[in-house]
Amino acid sequence: MSVQVTRLAGGLTVATDRMDTLESVSVGAWVGVGTRQEPEAVNGVAHLLEHMVFKGTARRSAKDIAEQIEAVGGHMNAYTGRETTAFYAKVLAEDLPLAVDVIADILQHSTFDEEELKRERAVVIQEIGQANDTPDDIVFDFFQEAAYPEQAMGRPVLGRAEVIARLGREDLRGYLAAHYGPQQIVVAAAGKVEHAAFVDLVAKAFGSLPGNGAVPAAGAADYRGGEFREARELEQVHLLLGFESVSYHDPDYYPTLVLSTLLGGGMSSRLFQEVREKRGLVYSIYSYAATYSDGGLFGIYAGTGETEVEELIPVVADELNKLSQAVEEEEVERARAQLKASILMSRESSGARAEQLGQQILAYGRPLSVEEVVGKIEAVDGEAVRRLGTKLVASRPTLVALGPVGRVEAYDSLTARFA
């Protein structure tokens, strides 16, 4: 196995996945915190922090950070999720020390300059406005909030504009100090990298992490389901229908992936064939599984016309109900093949392999081998999918509609379809 893992004395985990045929390396710091660890009063602080660490350190200006990575032909980025935040770069192998130094610098020595913060708050508020103006984007925030109301799991990753406008330096510093301890961070690299040398680099660069090592508290994910509708003057109804699903620790995690692929994961899926190809009700329809440490969501997204939505919802409900009645082994095999191919093809990307390494260690405490993951996918059979389909629709549905919603089926009527 090309993967090696070392845990440093302070609790920081260092991992590598060596790819000898490459001349480059992808490297990053994956932090096991996100929107879920935010109190409501500072919703969006994790995402604002992700922006602000690029705005200058004690040794580098914002311009220096960008120029130094791009001067060697590399690129750098970051993202914030509900349970994870990541900062990563891709460079030529000879420039790995620079990439490690920059990532370590922004996570440990950011100054959070007041003028930079003022500008970046405005940028994030613009980002929130852009998301609100993009219906097939913001509908997922509405869906999350309807599924997990009045809790951190349901709040938007970007935060709310009125909250972002009042966040200050001390909010950022406090969040960083409370959540960015070494026990919450995995520094991972994939590509042309020597493990021992990389461990030495990381140990020297990450000696000043601000956190105290305590695991941040997060309330349990309390799925409740429900509905949200917003009338807008749009050409399409953007619709999300979903149910409570499983965590990535659950034995049904891999059956859920197979079920999602079979139902709405490609052009051969049940939903695509029945809803688009046979009936012409949509341009886009797909299903997905969002998994967390202690729960999950199963969702179906569709964009359809104001009149077509009347036919669409009953058809989707019928397809969901059919899952509990009969599942052909041929379609299960096709779904398994799609998942296996996706995993194996992703192995050709150093960025994907570094991401997998960081996320797996955060989630499971260890990397998962390709053989282990593929073996679990291959073990999923039609009976597992049928059983899971029955279990899925037994939970209270979540229905979200955005656009000309006047003809969207009443929630009580929809719920009766799965009784």
Side-chain angles (χ1 to χ4, degrees):
M1 189 176 179
S2 59
V3 172
Q4 291 181 270
V5 179
T6 297
R7 185 175 292 273
L8 301 180
L12 186 73
T13 300
V14 185
T16 59
D17 187 350
R18 183 170 173 174
M19 303 168 70
D20 288 331
T21 60
L22 301 188
E23 295 299 327
S24 63
V25 59
S26 295
V27 59
W30 278 263
V31 189
V33 294
T35 307
R36 188 172 183 178
Q37 282 75 26
E38 296 173 346
E40 186 174 9
V42 293
N43 176 216
V45 67
H47 176 249
L48 181 60
L49 173 65
E50 174 227 306
H51 278 238
M52 279 302 300
V53 297
F54 288 92
K55 298 305 173 182
T57 72
R59 292 193 289 128
R60 293 178 171 96
S61 68
K63 188 178 180 182
D64 290 337
I65 293 168
E67 286 184 345
Q68 288 181 14
I69 292 294
E70 292 183 1
V72 297
H75 57 83
M76 189 173 183
N77 213 332
Y79 68 81
T80 304
R82 299 195 181 277
E83 296 185 319
T84 308
T85 307
F87 308 85
Y88 55 92
K90 185 172 184 179
V91 293
L92 294 176
E94 64 197 53
D95 299 311
L96 179 59
L98 171 65
V100 170
D101 187 59
V102 171
I103 293 171
D105 192 22
I106 65 175
L107 293 185
Q108 297 174 116
H109 306 298
S110 287
T111 56
F112 303 122
D113 178 78
E114 288 283 10
E115 286 302 311
E116 290 285 1
L117 178 56
K118 181 179 178 180
R119 283 191 290 268
E120 206 59 27
R121 278 196 300 252
V123 169
V124 172
I125 289 170
Q126 290 295 323
E127 186 179 0
I128 293 169
Q130 179 176 301
N132 286 333
D133 287 344
T134 310
D136 55 349
D137 185 355
I138 196 63
V139 70
F140 287 90
D141 276 353
F142 294 151
F143 180 67
Q144 193 80 18
E145 187 171 9
Y148 296 106
E150 301 174 348
Q151 55 190 293
M153 186 63 85
R155 296 182 198 126
V157 171
L158 300 183
R160 305 190 191 280
E162 63 272 17
V163 176
I164 298 301
R166 63 174 183 261
L167 291 176
R169 294 175 73 189
E170 294 311 309
D171 295 309
L172 297 170
R173 286 174 170 167
Y175 186 88
L176 185 71
H179 297 89
Y180 276 58
Q183 293 182 358
Q184 280 77 253
I185 299 177
V186 177
V187 181
K192 190 174 182 180
V193 56
E194 293 286 346
H195 183 74
F198 183 66
V199 170
D200 287 343
L201 274 177
V202 173
K204 292 173 183 176
F206 282 84
S208 304
L209 284 171
N212 58 18
V215 177
D222 180 17
Y223 175 89
R224 300 177 197 172
E227 67 173 327
F228 175 86
R229 301 163 190 250
E230 183 177 297
R232 289 192 186 184
E233 292 187 10
L234 301 172
E235 291 296 320
Q236 282 198 313
V237 179
H238 295 270
L239 188 78
L240 264 167
L241 171 63
F243 303 88
E244 184 175 18
S245 189
V246 301
S247 78
Y248 48 71
H249 294 295
D250 196 285
D252 279 333
Y253 170 66
Y254 289 99
T256 298
L257 298 184
V258 174
L259 183 151
S260 180
T261 304
L262 180 153
L263 180 66
M267 293 175 65
S268 64
S269 68
R270 289 188 178 191
L271 287 175
F272 192 93
Q273 286 296 312
E274 183 66 26
V275 177
R276 174 171 161 160
E277 297 297 277
K278 182 178 177 180
R279 299 174 185 263
L281 295 174
V282 300
Y283 173 72
S284 176
I285 186 167
Y286 59 86
S287 61
Y288 70 97
T291 56
Y292 309 113
S293 57
D294 61 346
L297 284 175
F298 186 91
I300 297 169
Y301 167 82
T304 191
E306 181 178 4
T307 57
E308 287 83 356
V309 73
E310 289 183 285
E311 182 182 353
L312 171 67
I313 291 179
V315 171
V316 171
D318 285 346
E319 290 302 314
L320 282 165
N321 284 324
K322 287 177 184 176
L323 284 171
S324 64
Q325 299 165 13
V327 177
E328 299 294 331
E329 191 57 39
E330 180 181 352
E331 59 182 340
V332 175
E333 174 57 33
R334 188 165 57 243
R336 290 195 302 251
Q338 286 177 259
L339 286 170
K340 288 186 290 184
S342 176
I343 290 167
L344 294 174
M345 289 178 184
S346 73
R347 301 286 296 167
E348 298 174 3
S349 163
S350 64
R353 284 169 74 153
E355 169 82 15
Q356 290 166 8
L357 193 52
Q359 292 283 16
Q360 287 174 355
I361 293 174
L362 285 178
Y364 303 108
R366 64 181 181 88
L368 306 181
S369 70
V370 175
E371 294 76 16
E372 179 181 357
V373 173
V374 169
K376 290 182 177 180
I377 292 171
E378 289 179 336
V380 179
D381 59 16
E383 175 55 27
V385 174
R386 190 201 64 75
R387 174 184 53 78
L388 190 57
T390 302
K391 177 183 175 182
L392 191 69
V393 298
S395 70
R396 188 169 186 249
T398 298
L399 175 68
V400 171
L402 183 62
V405 299
R407 299 188 185 186
V408 175
E409 186 168 349
Y411 181 78
D412 289 345
S413 176
L414 172 68
T415 301
R417 292 185 180 276
F418 304 109

